[in-house]
Amino acid sequence: MSTTKRLKRNLVFALLALLAALFAIVAATFAWYIYHTSSHTTKVHMAAGTGVSLEISNQYSEGYGSATVLEEFNGWLNPVSTNKISNGFQKVLGFTNGDETQPKLVANLFGPSETSDYYKTSLYIRTNHEKLDVYLSGIGYEDDDENLPISTAIRVGIVPHYAGKDQGESGEYIFAINDAENPEKEYNTATGKEGYVLDSTKTDGTTLPFEPYDSRNFCVYDSESGAVTLKDESLKICTVSGTGNDYGESVQVDIYIWLEGCDQDCTRSLCGKTLKNLALSFAGYAQG
């Protein structure tokens, strides 16, 4: 075979490989849709609503007050999935034909995600009270389309650290923010069923049941009186301490926002939809 023919054949193979790669990219946007924020930037507002001295900042050493605005996210939120944030996120890389009970295409090949696939930032909470337990009192949000709410597929991860700068993580909590349904919901992962997410300890697409926290796990905060009331299911996020006069060491709380790709509500019908804003409200509760 001549050199010219070999070069032509290699070029054809290269083009075919490129087309296959492009098809995979197109398919990936078909089942696990992509959230674009180029024209609608999500802003995360944090408010420490409490009658005692609880302060919040987006910097460890300064800027403390009753509220703070964290960094904006501009770019793409690619659907990812996990049952444990500390183990990382995975995203879909490939699809296969679904069986008679599934959509035509279902996700069946997954790989590690990149940090640009989801939103992560940190806030810092402190008090001058001797001991305050910190709870979420609410997660506020606004969809750009109430008929196709992107919030139904969004998860918020709360990862507190031990008190002090650059300390290790002390726990993690994953919240669903909207229990409504996307009218076109459809479970599009090859394994599992509604309520399942990817098993973060495996890389073969294994899914397992996972129930996120929700509004039932908030505390009740009275904005007029500053009183905090706990419910049976209220979930403590962390504890902050001071001296009674001076502020103690701040507690770092990492915030993750992502699209749960295994959620039935995460479908292509939401392409182009955005979450206009999201706000977390924290409240401090003093025992005794």
Side-chain angles (χ1 to χ4, degrees), residues 150-194:
I150 190 176
S151 58
T152 58
I154 282 181
R155 298 291 184 270
V156 174
I158 313 286
V159 181
H161 291 237
Y162 292 102
K165 190 174 183 179
D166 299 325
Q167 299 301 304
E169 298 172 358
S170 62
E172 66 170 62
Y173 312 96
I174 296 174
F175 286 83
I177 67 172
N178 186 356
D179 60 4
E181 295 182 348
N182 173 357
E184 300 179 11
K185 70 174 187 176
E186 176 176 73
Y187 192 81
N188 54 22
T189 305
T191 62
K193 54 186 178 182
E194 182 177 6

Side-chain angles (χ1 to χ4, degrees), residues 23-34 76 92 95 267-268 271:
F23 175 77
I25 293 172
V26 172
T29 66
F30 177 85
W32 285 29
Y33 94 95
I34 290 177
W76 299 83
V92 65
F95 299 84
T267 66
R268 63 174 178 168
C271 285

Side-chain angles (χ1 to χ4, degrees), residues 26 54-55 88 102 148 182 219:
V26 172
L54 181 68
E55 293 189 340
Q102 296 176 323
L148 290 172
N182 173 357
C219 70

Side-chain angles (χ1 to χ4, degrees), residues 72-268:
E72 299 176 349
F73 179 84
N74 292 288
W76 299 83
L77 281 183
N78 292 317
V80 296
S81 184
T82 190
N83 67 315
K84 192 172 180 61
I85 297 171
S86 60
N87 288 342
F89 298 88
Q90 297 180 72
K91 63 182 179 181
V92 65
L93 300 179
F95 299 84
T96 188
N97 293 325
D99 61 29
E100 63 276 4
T101 65
Q102 296 176 323
K104 292 181 179 180
L105 281 179
V106 290
N108 75 326
L109 179 63
F110 303 89
S113 68
E114 301 176 19
T115 56
S116 58
D117 291 328
Y118 54 88
Y119 176 74
K120 178 189 176 184
T121 192
S122 298
L123 59 87
Y124 302 89
I125 300 175
R126 71 178 188 178
T127 187
N128 58 3
H129 196 272
E130 292 180 357
K131 184 178 179 181
L132 278 181
D133 292 334
V134 178
Y135 295 79
L136 270 179
S137 60
I139 301 179
Y141 58 88
E142 182 182 2
D143 290 291
D144 74 332
D145 187 340
E146 294 181 357
N147 295 318
L148 290 172
I150 190 176
S151 58
T152 58
I154 282 181
R155 298 291 184 270
V156 174
I158 313 286
V159 181
H161 291 237
Y162 292 102
K165 190 174 183 179
D166 299 325
Q167 299 301 304
E169 298 172 358
S170 62
E172 66 170 62
Y173 312 96
I174 296 174
F175 286 83
I177 67 172
N178 186 356
D179 60 4
E181 295 182 348
N182 173 357
E184 300 179 11
K185 70 174 187 176
E186 176 176 73
Y187 192 81
N188 54 22
T189 305
T191 62
K193 54 186 178 182
E194 182 177 6
Y196 280 52
V197 300
L198 290 180
D199 184 343
S200 62
T201 66
K202 300 180 179 179
T203 58
D204 59 358
T206 299
T207 55
L208 44 70
F210 182 80
E211 183 176 1
Y213 296 107
D214 56 29
S215 60
R216 294 171 296 182
N217 304 108
F218 298 160
C219 70
V220 179
Y221 172 66
D222 187 324
S223 60
E224 293 186 2
S225 67
V228 175
T229 304
L230 300 185
K231 301 179 291 187
D232 290 341
E233 295 178 281
S234 294
L235 179 68
K236 182 175 72 174
I237 301 300
C238 63
T239 298
V240 291
S241 301
T243 66
N245 294 309
D246 298 325
Y247 288 97
E249 292 279 6
S250 299
V251 170
Q252 176 180 333
V253 180
D254 295 334
I255 306 298
Y256 293 79
I257 301 173
W258 73 94
L259 288 169
E260 176 49 62
C262 283
D263 192 314
Q264 285 198 123
D265 296 314
C266 187
T267 66
R268 63 174 178 168

